[in-house]
Amino acid sequence: MVNKAMSTANLSDHEKLKQLLMWIDEVPLSRVKRCLARDFSDGYLVAEIIHYSLNAAGVVQIVEMHNYSAVNSTAGKKKNWYTLKSKVLSKLKFPITEHEIQAITSPAEGAIEQFLLRLKPHLEDYIKKKKEVPPIDAKDLATPGYPNSYRAGPDGVYGNHKTSNERNSGGINMDNLPLNVKKELIEKQQKLESADETIAILSVKIKKLEQLVELKDKRIRQLRIENSGQ
């Protein structure tokens, strides 16, 4: 068994490919993997891998699977890849060139393997950084107008401490829901929490900008007074 902790820099191409296939096999893909180049050429399974990896790590989801469809035409494949590039890879700060998209959708031999070999460590690093995001300053959270869902919890830690009623307003027992419905509800909840976080951060930034404008206005008034006295 290949040691996943081993640095890929010291691995042969065969060992790197073996680790890559093991990584892919961990993901419950929607279709059976038979030929890597053909099966991944439309980008759909790549979107599934990123979607699954983010969910499994518990970080904010950035992949909306309804934006992608399994297709056979070159035009359809490229549409998936352009969507993936603009909506997902850009947020991951992961570059992909037109030449790479052309090679993957062709599909050219070894193109998708090279892409996935680059994507795997980059995605793992992205997830690691997201988990290491420093907590928001408590003084900022006390700013008037800050969303009240971001408050100190019972443990004194500031964060998105919504009540069970706020998270589950309908009193729905998640355990009794079908898996697909439960998954959809969880995804919607993650999107809402992501939106809450964005609003909270923007609220802090707006407050600080207002303070800067106030200081600027005060300085202008002082200069006018000084000039009028000369």
Side-chain angles (χ1 to χ4, degrees):
M1 181 175 178
V2 178
N3 183 2
K4 294 185 181 181
M6 187 184 300
S7 171
T8 56
N10 300 321
L11 298 177
S12 67
D13 290 343
H14 175 75
E15 290 171 326
K16 288 178 184 178
L17 182 59
K18 186 176 179 181
Q19 280 199 2
L20 178 66
L21 294 175
M22 289 171 62
W23 178 59
I24 294 172
D25 286 340
E26 292 175 356
V27 182
L29 299 174
S30 61
R31 58 181 188 248
V32 179
K33 170 174 58 62
R34 293 187 175 89
C35 173
L36 214 61
R38 185 182 63 248
D39 296 336
F40 281 76
S41 63
D42 63 0
Y44 187 85
L45 295 185
V46 175
E48 282 195 340
I49 286 176
I50 299 173
H51 184 277
Y52 174 83
S53 299
L54 297 178
N55 267 357
V59 302
V60 175
Q61 185 58 255
I62 60 174
V63 181
E64 297 179 337
M65 289 306 302
H66 64 79
N67 287 328
Y68 311 92
S69 56
V71 290
N72 293 318
S73 69
T74 301
K77 292 177 182 180
K78 286 188 175 181
K79 181 182 178 182
N80 275 352
W81 277 100
Y82 292 144
T83 302
L84 193 65
K85 178 180 180 180
S86 63
K87 293 183 176 293
V88 178
L89 299 181
S90 62
K91 294 178 181 177
L92 295 176
K93 292 182 172 55
F94 183 80
I96 181 172
T97 65
E98 180 66 31
H99 176 75
E100 284 181 285
I101 292 175
Q102 178 64 40
I104 292 170
T105 55
S106 297
E109 183 178 355
I112 189 62
E113 288 87 348
Q114 290 301 316
F115 171 83
L116 291 172
L117 283 169
R118 286 200 304 117
L119 176 66
K120 180 179 181 292
H122 190 95
L123 182 59
E124 290 170 346
D125 188 52
Y126 172 86
I127 289 171
K128 181 181 178 182
K129 288 178 179 177
K130 283 295 180 182
K131 287 187 170 183
E132 292 175 351
V133 173
I136 300 173
D137 195 313
K139 291 183 289 185
D140 289 337
L141 292 168
T143 303
Y146 205 94
N148 61 11
S149 61
Y150 281 79
R151 53 180 175 262
D155 54 0
V157 177
Y158 280 83
N160 193 345
H161 299 286
K162 292 186 177 180
T163 64
S164 58
N165 287 335
E166 289 174 316
R167 287 193 301 268
N168 191 13
S169 57
I172 300 172
N173 187 345
M174 295 282 282
D175 295 333
N176 296 331
L177 294 176
L179 184 61
N180 62 323
V181 176
K182 186 188 297 184
K183 183 179 178 182
E184 185 175 350
L185 285 174
I186 291 172
E187 288 179 2
K188 289 185 182 298
Q189 182 179 328
Q190 288 176 334
K191 289 178 184 178
L192 287 173
E193 290 176 353
S194 176
D196 282 346
E197 182 179 354
T198 301
I199 291 170
I201 293 170
L202 288 175
S203 296
V204 173
K205 290 182 177 180
I206 289 170
K207 185 66 178 178
K208 288 182 177 179
L209 285 173
E210 288 174 346
Q211 291 172 348
L212 287 173
V213 170
E214 186 178 345
L215 288 172
K216 184 178 179 181
D217 289 343
K218 184 177 179 181
R219 179 57 180 161
I220 290 172
R221 288 194 298 269
Q222 289 176 341
L223 289 172
R224 284 176 177 171
I225 292 171
E226 290 173 4
N227 289 334
S228 63
Q230 291 179 356

